[in-house]
């Protein structure tokens, strides 16, 4: 988009300067503008190719700064597929991530409205990106999912995070948030599922206190409205 604006501004300037009347200068300038636009479009693809080539045998080792560069170069929702490929490449090669990289991925997914990508990766068994999720990144993601009323995904992500980093996400402060969500959500099965997995990380006293503070959601009984004159 920014290059489209840039192109329009340049065209206006060319019209004002009368450059269209001089083909010697016009066509080389036009080729240069088109080349710049193409470079912007394929930049993310090129970054991924560089990462892939570095992962080949006898090539340089993958560096975390390269993955960060790939994520930050993503300026369109269609480019997120290269971010996912990059994350999968690092996962496959056994390279670790960082809280900073994880935070960039979460922010990119929120920015371009693709929460499913990061949610799926976190919930994927064995994927290490979830182990690098900070409290700040988790809350950014949870708040966005809560705004979309996607409570099931919040629960699934939290369960995965508990398994990957029980020391961090098993803290009472963090659990209070997720219990609050589960208590307000009209799904008893979801609530009991959370209680079951938390029982592995909390004492019976701690778990009971959470349940008392955020009780199981009430089951709403269905009522049948009868038409007048019917039994």
């Amino acid at each position: 988009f920014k290059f489209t604006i840039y192109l329009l501004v340049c065209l206006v300037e060319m019209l004002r300067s009368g450059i269209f009347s001089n083909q010697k200068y016009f066509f080389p300038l036009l080729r240069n503008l088109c080349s710049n636009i193409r470079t912007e479009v394929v930049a993310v693809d090129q970054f991924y190719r560089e990462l892939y080539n570095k992962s080949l045998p006898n090539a340089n080792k993958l560096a975390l700064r390269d993955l960060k560069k790939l994520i930050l170069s993503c300026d369109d929702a269609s480019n997120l597929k290269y971010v996912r490929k990059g994350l999968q490449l690092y996962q496959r090669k056994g390279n670790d991530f960082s809280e900073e990289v994880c935070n960039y991925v979460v922010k990119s997914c929120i920015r371009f409205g693709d929460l499913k990508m990061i949610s799926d990766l976190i919930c994927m068994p064995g994927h290490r990106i979830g182990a690098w999720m900070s409290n700040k990144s988790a809350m950014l993601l949870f708040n966005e999912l809560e705004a979309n009323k996607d409570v099931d995904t919040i629960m699934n992500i939290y369960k995965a995070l508990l398994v990957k980093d029980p020391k961090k996400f098993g803290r009472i402060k963090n659990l209070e948030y997720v219990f609050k969500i589960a208590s307000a959500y009209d799904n008893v099965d979801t609530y009991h599922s959370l209680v079951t997995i938390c029982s592995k990380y909390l004492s019976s006293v701690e778990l009971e206190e959470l349940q008392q503070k955020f009780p199981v959601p009430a089951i709403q009984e269905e009522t049948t409205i009868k038409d007048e004159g019917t039994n």
Side-chain angles (χ1 to χ4, degrees):
F1 178 75
K2 59 185 177 182
F3 274 98
T4 302
I5 298 299
Y6 172 66
L7 178 59
L8 289 174
V9 172
C10 289
L11 287 174
V12 170
E13 290 299 319
M14 286 189 289
L15 283 170
R16 291 176 58 187
S17 64
I19 198 171
F20 282 103
S21 62
N22 192 333
Q23 296 184 4
K24 178 180 178 182
Y25 297 103
F26 170 66
F27 287 110
L29 180 59
L30 184 61
R31 282 195 298 270
N32 184 49
L33 288 172
C34 292
S35 176
N36 286 338
I37 294 172
R38 175 170 174 76
T39 300
E40 177 70 12
V41 172
V42 302
V44 182
D45 182 26
Q46 289 177 346
F47 288 156
Y48 174 72
R49 289 179 184 275
E50 290 175 8
L51 285 181
Y52 182 79
N53 290 335
K54 287 183 177 181
S55 71
L56 297 175
N58 301 322
N60 294 328
K61 291 184 178 180
L62 291 171
L64 204 55
R65 63 177 177 272
D66 296 323
L67 181 58
K68 177 181 173 182
K69 180 181 177 182
L70 173 69
I71 299 167
L72 293 179
S73 67
C74 180
D75 59 358
D76 186 82
S78 62
N79 292 331
L80 282 176
K81 61 184 178 183
Y82 296 111
V83 174
R84 183 184 180 95
K85 287 182 177 181
L87 292 170
Q88 293 293 64
L89 179 64
Y90 274 64
Q91 169 75 12
R92 197 165 58 248
K93 292 294 180 177
N95 290 65
D96 251 330
F97 302 104
S98 68
E99 287 190 356
E100 182 184 31
V101 165
C102 185
N103 187 48
Y104 284 139
V105 176
V106 170
K107 286 183 176 180
S108 292
C109 289
I110 291 175
R111 177 186 175 191
F112 298 116
D114 190 358
L115 303 180
K116 188 177 185 303
M117 190 191 91
I118 184 62
S119 300
D120 288 348
L121 290 176
I122 294 171
C123 295
M124 189 180 296
H127 204 294
R128 294 186 301 280
I129 190 67
W132 291 98
M133 178 76 75
S134 66
N135 285 322
K136 181 180 178 180
S137 297
M139 289 309 301
L140 280 174
L141 182 57
F142 290 154
N143 288 337
E144 197 71 20
L145 289 167
E146 188 178 355
N148 295 336
K149 299 182 179 180
D150 193 353
V151 178
D152 286 334
T153 300
I154 293 177
M155 295 299 139
N156 290 334
I157 290 175
Y158 204 90
K159 291 172 188 175
L161 292 176
L162 269 174
V163 173
K164 294 179 179 182
D165 194 346
K167 185 176 180 180
K168 180 190 301 178
F169 292 99
R171 295 171 184 166
I172 296 296
K173 183 179 179 180
N174 291 332
L175 288 171
E176 282 188 348
Y177 168 80
V178 75
F179 261 89
K180 179 181 177 181
I181 297 294
S183 180
Y185 185 48
D186 188 22
N187 192 313
V188 176
D189 292 337
T190 298
Y191 182 91
H192 287 311
S193 176
L194 179 64
V195 171
T196 300
I197 192 168
C198 287
S199 64
K200 301 177 182 178
Y201 307 101
L202 299 175
S203 67
S204 57
V205 174
E206 290 173 327
L207 188 57
E208 185 177 351
E209 288 178 352
L210 278 175
Q211 289 179 275
Q212 289 177 351
K213 191 172 183 178
F214 306 104
V216 61
I219 301 176
Q220 296 181 358
E221 297 181 359
E222 296 183 0
T223 58
T224 304
I225 301 176
K226 297 182 180 181
D227 295 332
E228 291 184 6
T230 61
N231 295 324

